Amino acid sequence: MAQGANRTAAQVVGVVALAAAVTAFLAVAAVRHGFFDLKVYYGALTWWVHDGGEIYDYLKPNTQYGFTYPPFAALVMLPMAYLPWSAAIVVSVLASVVTTTVLIWWLVDPIARRAGWTRWFALAVALCLAAAFEPMRETVNFGQVNTLLLFLVAVDLLRLLPAGNRWAGVGIGLATAIKLTPGIFIVYLLVTGRWRAALTASGTAAGVSLLAGALFPDASREFWTEALWNTGRVGELAFVSNQSLRGVVARLDPQHPSTLLWLLLVLGTLALWAWRSRAAVAAGDEATGLALTGAVMCLVSPVTWVHHLVWLLPALILLVDNAMAAPAGRRRRVLLAAVTIGYVLLISRTVWVWEKDFTGVDGFLGSNAYVWISLALLAFLPIRRWLTPGGSPVETSGVPQLDQPDRPAPAGERHLVGRPLTVR
């Protein structure tokens, strides 16, 4: 009893110390954006609802930024127009915190149970580390919707789809209707042969988009015919915050970026993703499928601002998972070193060193540092084997695998996030 109490006390002290260290780090390192994007949403909705303007005609004063999301996103955000500005901030922050906490719990809790860690302690440590993660702190500071979209996708891929739930795909469909880029997860379902879930996701996205079109016909017409194609509203492609393949190409020649080179890079990246995603699903590793697709979405999207890299969070957690599941030795050390290096870079604001000048070899390597991390995760994130009742792993066509224990995981250790499973 005394030993358990001492352990709990030490863990409480450790979490408090880590939280204090993260708070101090954020006080120095975090950039205050003043909920810039949330101001755009709030201003556009107020202009639309209370001032009689068209939502896609609104531009934040003294900027080129306006509302760029589909009409269904405007419908989801509509209550914001009836809230005071301070209440809108509270709702935005709470939404990010709650969705992030649930997602991290889904991914970290199985690691804690298998490794024998105290579960609340593992969650608390993970949340502190997530708070320092640059894409996460940028999401909160901008008032962005990234964690909500990631949560909707994760509900499908980590909970509903592995359980065979007939509603699997609804979350992906809603995320796609709010912001088009999560539509790549519909492609993921198609590539991996989950036709029913893909149809559900597509039907959901189409259905709610049609609903928004029926409610707001003028706004829908303007979005699909004009606003969607106005790339000037999203910002400069060569800006160092654009950590996508398109950003890499744009920074090579900001005045005349090569569209052909970008398309070739996108095609090669998609081919790698399709191969690895199919291998992950064949191995029963849905969590890695989520992580790989999140990484490829960041890479192939024309614009991936730093805050969009929240989609890399599952991959980093899974690297820790793979390290803890590996036997003590070189492989574990390599995986822990990889996740440490990736995490440190992704909290460091490294790319901003080259914000004004990204020329030269150092500029090419440094200004695209987060792109290299995304590519490394896509190419090398281990895929977990699905154990048969006899303990034999399913073959996955030469894809790098993480060695699993010789025995199947007990039924009590099974869960829906793609950890070691036994066939029943």
Side-chain angles (χ1 to χ4, degrees), residues 229-386:
W229 314 104
N230 184 1
T231 57
R233 295 164 63 94
V234 298
E236 176 60 45
L237 291 175
F239 184 41
V240 74
S241 184
N242 185 13
Q243 291 293 302
S244 68
L245 293 172
R246 185 63 161 156
V248 173
V249 172
R251 283 186 285 277
L252 288 174
D253 185 357
Q255 299 304 317
H256 304 95
S258 173
T259 300
L260 177 60
L261 175 59
W262 173 58
L263 291 175
L264 289 174
L265 290 173
V266 166
L267 288 175
T269 303
L270 287 174
L272 174 62
W273 162 73
W275 174 56
R276 300 216 69 212
S277 294
R278 288 175 62 86
V281 171
D285 192 353
E286 202 70 67
T288 298
L290 165 65
L292 294 174
T293 307
V296 83
M297 183 180 73
C298 294
L299 289 166
V300 304
S301 174
V303 175
T304 297
W305 303 134
V306 168
H307 57 78
H308 294 149
L309 296 174
V310 161
W311 290 90
L312 298 185
L313 190 60
L316 293 175
I317 294 174
L318 289 175
L319 268 182
V320 176
D321 193 352
N322 280 275
M324 298 311 300
R330 181 175 178 275
R331 183 179 182 83
R332 177 177 290 185
R333 291 195 299 271
V334 168
L335 290 171
L336 288 176
V339 71
T340 301
I341 292 170
Y343 175 77
V344 168
L345 287 174
L346 284 165
I347 69 171
S348 66
R349 289 184 57 81
T350 297
V351 298
W352 298 98
V353 173
W354 291 273
E355 179 181 3
K356 303 298 183 183
D357 181 9
F358 37 75
T359 58
V361 174
D362 66 312
F364 175 72
L365 296 175
S367 69
N368 301 308
Y370 299 167
V371 178
W372 311 140
I373 294 172
S374 297
L375 282 169
L377 290 170
L378 176 64
F380 301 113
L381 181 66
I383 293 172
R384 306 295 289 269
R385 296 182 181 184
W386 187 353

Side-chain angles (χ1 to χ4, degrees), residues 7-379:
R7 181 186 184 190
T8 299
Q11 289 173 337
V12 170
V13 171
V15 168
V16 171
L18 179 60
V22 169
T23 301
F25 172 77
L26 293 176
V28 174
V31 176
R32 307 295 188 270
H33 298 293
F35 299 98
F36 183 94
D37 289 355
L38 187 64
K39 285 180 179 176
V40 173
Y41 310 152
Y42 189 82
L45 289 164
T46 301
W47 163 264
W48 186 36
V49 173
H50 300 296
D51 299 332
E54 178 52 64
I55 190 169
Y56 294 108
D57 292 338
Y58 173 85
L59 292 177
K60 187 177 184 295
N62 304 314
T63 76
Q64 63 183 359
Y65 298 103
F67 194 85
T68 58
Y69 294 166
F72 179 67
L75 176 60
V76 172
M77 297 181 186
L78 192 58
M80 190 189 303
Y82 301 94
L83 294 176
W85 169 240
S86 57
I89 293 175
V90 171
V91 170
S92 174
V93 172
L94 280 178
S96 292
V97 170
V98 171
T99 53
T100 300
T101 300
V102 174
L103 175 66
I104 289 178
W105 174 256
W106 286 345
L107 292 170
V108 168
D109 185 58
I111 310 175
R113 287 190 284 111
R114 287 196 314 277
W117 300 338
T118 305
R119 295 162 71 187
W120 72 264
F121 176 71
L123 176 64
V125 169
L127 289 174
C128 288
L129 296 177
F133 188 50
E134 184 179 357
M136 185 64 68
R137 65 186 195 238
E138 294 276 288
T139 288
V140 175
N141 265 312
F142 273 115
Q144 263 284 342
V145 298
N146 303 311
T147 60
L148 172 62
L149 302 179
L150 177 53
F151 173 76
L152 287 172
V153 171
V155 169
D156 275 345
L157 297 187
L158 302 185
R159 316 308 287 185
L160 301 183
L161 194 61
N165 192 295
R166 64 190 181 92
W167 294 102
V170 170
I172 291 172
L174 292 174
T176 301
I178 292 172
K179 187 175 182 180
L180 299 178
T181 48
I184 194 168
F185 284 92
I186 299 179
V187 182
Y188 166 72
L189 293 173
L190 293 171
V191 165
T192 54
R194 272 75 67 80
W195 310 108
R196 177 172 178 169
L199 182 61
T200 300
S202 302
T204 300
V208 296
S209 297
L210 289 173
L211 172 63
L215 294 173
F216 317 124
D218 293 338
S220 296
R221 186 182 311 109
E222 182 167 355
F223 175 79
W224 295 109
T225 61
E226 296 182 30
L228 175 61
W229 314 104
N230 184 1
T231 57
R233 295 164 63 94
V234 298
E236 176 60 45
L237 291 175
F239 184 41
V240 74
S241 184
N242 185 13
Q243 291 293 302
S244 68
L245 293 172
R246 185 63 161 156
V248 173
V249 172
R251 283 186 285 277
L252 288 174
D253 185 357
Q255 299 304 317
H256 304 95
S258 173
T259 300
L260 177 60
L261 175 59
W262 173 58
L263 291 175
L264 289 174
L265 290 173
V266 166
L267 288 175
T269 303
L270 287 174
L272 174 62
W273 162 73
W275 174 56
R276 300 216 69 212
S277 294
R278 288 175 62 86
V281 171
D285 192 353
E286 202 70 67
T288 298
L290 165 65
L292 294 174
T293 307
V296 83
M297 183 180 73
C298 294
L299 289 166
V300 304
S301 174
V303 175
T304 297
W305 303 134
V306 168
H307 57 78
H308 294 149
L309 296 174
V310 161
W311 290 90
L312 298 185
L313 190 60
L316 293 175
I317 294 174
L318 289 175
L319 268 182
V320 176
D321 193 352
N322 280 275
M324 298 311 300
R330 181 175 178 275
R331 183 179 182 83
R332 177 177 290 185
R333 291 195 299 271
V334 168
L335 290 171
L336 288 176
V339 71
T340 301
I341 292 170
Y343 175 77
V344 168
L345 287 174
L346 284 165
I347 69 171
S348 66
R349 289 184 57 81
T350 297
V351 298
W352 298 98
V353 173
W354 291 273
E355 179 181 3
K356 303 298 183 183
D357 181 9
F358 37 75
T359 58
V361 174
D362 66 312
F364 175 72
L365 296 175
S367 69
N368 301 308
Y370 299 167
V371 178
W372 311 140
I373 294 172
S374 297
L375 282 169
L377 290 170
L378 176 64

